[in-house]
Amino acid sequence: MNVLILGSGGREHAIVQAVVKSSKLDKLFTMPGNAGTAALGTNIPGDISDNELVVSTAKQHNVDLVIVGPEVPLCNGIVDRLQQENIKAFGPTKAAARLEGDKAYSKELMRQARIPTAEARIFSDYEAAKTYVATRDHALVVKAAGLAAGKGVVICEEPAQALLALEDIMLNHCFGDAGKTVVVEEKLQGTEMSVLALVDGTTIYLLETAQDYKKIGEGNTGLNTGGMGTFSPSPRATDELLDQVQTEVFIPIIDALRGEGIEYHGVLYAGLMLTAAGPKVLEFNCRFGDPETQVILPRIRSDVLELLDACASGRLSDMIIDWDTQSAVCVVMASGGYPGKYQNGKVISGLSQAARLENVHVYHAGTATIEDRVVTSGGRVLGITALGDGLADARRRSYEAVDLVSFDNAYYRKDIAAF
């Protein structure tokens, strides 16, 4: 098979590294890719939000399967466009991807399907939102309804903070058009857990769980990011809990979409809060999580390309996933200043030394190659994953690898998977 993977982050490098092991693979292309994907296949420059460019690229290279990494092309309808040209794609259609692209729509659909989630109100008018928040006396979460690269959520311990968040989002447009509509909801208390599932329209196959760290600062402080680290599996993920999540979350949302004439294919990601009253949905994403992918895929012993192809082809019920029983921990190394302003072009050293460590994967995210040197080209630069006999061993191995890698003004949290 000739395969085209869309994206340029750590998630895509993890997918590339998993797919390249497949005996079914002939040629592998990544668009636009990064320094890590370039070492495993062919990078093709181009804007993946340009549907026609993606289609022409897939045709030019006789691609049999397109694997879509990020949410933006999915919400732009790339899968619909590829299907029109009879090109197989792994990922949901534009209508199905609205689950992530429009948090207001997602919240309404959850209400209709009686899926446990936080109580919320939806506003497109700033004054109405301001009046509502001013009447609250407890912690709130303010969310930009549109896509904001994982940063459009502001957790507010007091209503006064929520008022400032509304002003930043709706008046100052800190998240651009994504903040035209906001969702204001109660802040749930508990432990977060990510549950991802492969869905082929009818079959739902839950993958191993993960827990991620969104805040930039240690102790879960500071601004939200796209993710500063993660581990798998979650110690809270009992068989009983996962059965409950399947029954109360995944099956109802897939049925609710089907009731609207939408058949879901690809990855469905449920971000959950494990509360005293049971699991509640924080959000749905319509693709592999980043950096959750960097701890889930390394634990799959089965042929990942065959698995994703079966999902895209409606043959998921024929698949059995063989899981590595080891735990995985990923530590993200970021550019200093992220998620705010930061500088690119910093030379990265120690990559080969870290990659030579046993059970370590160095996933490139914001990297590029200039004159045979790997340099930084993004906020989140690397995701360094290690497998080990339990989370403590995996964590130790991951930080050993992190210590070997350096670039000017590098930043990472030192408390990933620390209990």
Side-chain angles (χ1 to χ4, degrees), residues 128-152:
K130 179 181 174 182
T131 299
Y132 172 75
V133 168
T135 65
R136 304 296 95 185
D137 60 0
H138 52 75
L140 296 168
V141 179
V142 181
K143 299 180 178 180
L147 294 177
K151 302 168 192 171

Side-chain angles (χ1 to χ4, degrees), residues 165-244:
L166 287 176
E167 185 175 334
D168 284 342
I169 296 171
M170 302 187 81
L171 297 186
N172 299 332
H173 311 293
C174 64
F175 300 123
D177 288 345
K180 286 184 175 180
T181 298
V182 298
V183 178
V184 180
E185 61 185 37
E186 62 173 329
K187 180 190 176 188
L188 298 175
Q189 302 294 333
T191 301
E192 289 192 42
M193 184 174 76
S194 303
V195 181
L196 284 69
L198 296 178
V199 184
D200 72 352
T202 53
T203 301
I204 301 171
Y205 200 135
L206 264 60
L207 302 178
E208 286 282 339
T209 58
Q211 286 183 217
D212 74 329
Y213 294 75
K214 291 292 187 196
K215 296 289 190 177
I216 187 66
E218 292 173 18
N220 294 322
T221 58
L223 296 174
N224 264 9
T225 71
M228 291 302 296
T230 185
F231 62 85
S232 175
S234 166
R236 302 287 298 276
T238 64
D239 289 342
E240 181 181 13
L241 176 64
L242 293 178
D243 286 344
Q244 184 181 2

Side-chain angles (χ1 to χ4, degrees), residues 110-343:
M110 282 189 269
R111 283 175 177 167
Q112 294 172 22
R114 297 186 177 181
I115 292 170
T117 186
E119 290 295 323
R121 293 280 297 273
I122 298 165
F123 299 96
S124 296
D125 178 75
Y126 168 72
E127 291 298 332
K130 179 181 174 182
T131 299
Y132 172 75
V133 168
T135 65
R136 304 296 95 185
D137 60 0
H138 52 75
L140 296 168
V141 179
V142 181
K143 299 180 178 180
L147 294 177
K151 302 168 192 171
V153 177
V154 183
I155 299 172
C156 309
E157 297 300 332
E158 298 178 355
Q161 293 175 303
L163 290 172
L164 291 175
L166 287 176
E167 185 175 334
D168 284 342
I169 296 171
M170 302 187 81
L171 297 186
N172 299 332
H173 311 293
C174 64
F175 300 123
D177 288 345
K180 286 184 175 180
T181 298
V182 298
V183 178
V184 180
E185 61 185 37
E186 62 173 329
K187 180 190 176 188
L188 298 175
Q189 302 294 333
T191 301
E192 289 192 42
M193 184 174 76
S194 303
V195 181
L196 284 69
L198 296 178
V199 184
D200 72 352
T202 53
T203 301
I204 301 171
Y205 200 135
L206 264 60
L207 302 178
E208 286 282 339
T209 58
Q211 286 183 217
D212 74 329
Y213 294 75
K214 291 292 187 196
K215 296 289 190 177
I216 187 66
E218 292 173 18
N220 294 322
T221 58
L223 296 174
N224 264 9
T225 71
M228 291 302 296
T230 185
F231 62 85
S232 175
S234 166
R236 302 287 298 276
T238 64
D239 289 342
E240 181 181 13
L241 176 64
L242 293 178
D243 286 344
Q244 184 181 2
V245 170
Q246 172 111 338
T247 301
E248 297 182 4
V249 175
F250 282 93
I251 292 175
I253 199 66
I254 295 300
D255 286 346
L257 288 168
R258 189 177 293 114
E260 297 200 347
I262 301 169
E263 193 171 272
Y264 196 101
H265 289 258
V267 177
L268 181 58
Y269 167 134
L272 305 174
M273 182 69 80
L274 306 183
T275 74
K280 295 188 178 184
V281 177
L282 296 170
E283 63 178 0
F284 283 113
N285 292 330
C286 59
R287 36 69 191 182
F288 278 116
D290 187 344
E292 290 89 348
T293 307
Q294 291 90 302
V295 291
I296 292 175
L297 290 190
R299 298 186 59 220
I300 296 180
R301 289 174 170 169
S302 307
D303 187 317
V304 171
L305 177 55
E306 184 176 15
L307 185 64
L308 301 188
D309 181 54
C311 185
S313 305
R315 297 183 288 104
L316 192 56
S317 61
D318 298 334
M319 297 292 107
I320 296 176
I321 302 180
D322 180 21
W323 290 96
D324 193 319
T325 57
Q326 292 188 104
S327 299
V329 172
C330 176
V331 177
V332 171
M333 298 187 72
S335 297
Y338 173 81
K341 293 182 179 180
Y342 54 85
Q343 293 182 333

Side-chain angles (χ1 to χ4, degrees), residues 81-104:
R81 187 67 189 90
L82 289 165
Q83 288 176 346
Q84 290 171 2
E85 300 295 331
N86 295 315
I87 300 171
K88 191 186 303 181
F90 176 82
T93 61
K94 181 177 183 177
R98 194 179 172 197
L99 263 185
E100 177 171 3
D102 185 346
K103 290 183 177 65

Side-chain angles (χ1 to χ4, degrees), residues 32-105:
N34 58 40
T37 62
L40 299 171
T42 302
N43 281 358
I44 301 174
D47 180 3
I48 59 174
S49 64
D50 184 339
N51 287 355
E52 298 311 310
L53 178 60
V54 172
V55 168
S56 64
T57 300
K59 287 182 175 180
Q60 178 185 349
H61 295 283
N62 299 311
V63 167
D64 301 293
L65 176 66
V66 177
I67 300 172
V68 187
E71 62 275 15
V72 171
L74 291 170
C75 293
N76 285 345
I78 185 57
V79 169
D80 310 66
R81 187 67 189 90
L82 289 165
Q83 288 176 346
Q84 290 171 2
E85 300 295 331
N86 295 315
I87 300 171
K88 191 186 303 181
F90 176 82
T93 61
K94 181 177 183 177
R98 194 179 172 197
L99 263 185
E100 177 171 3
D102 185 346
K103 290 183 177 65
Y105 165 78

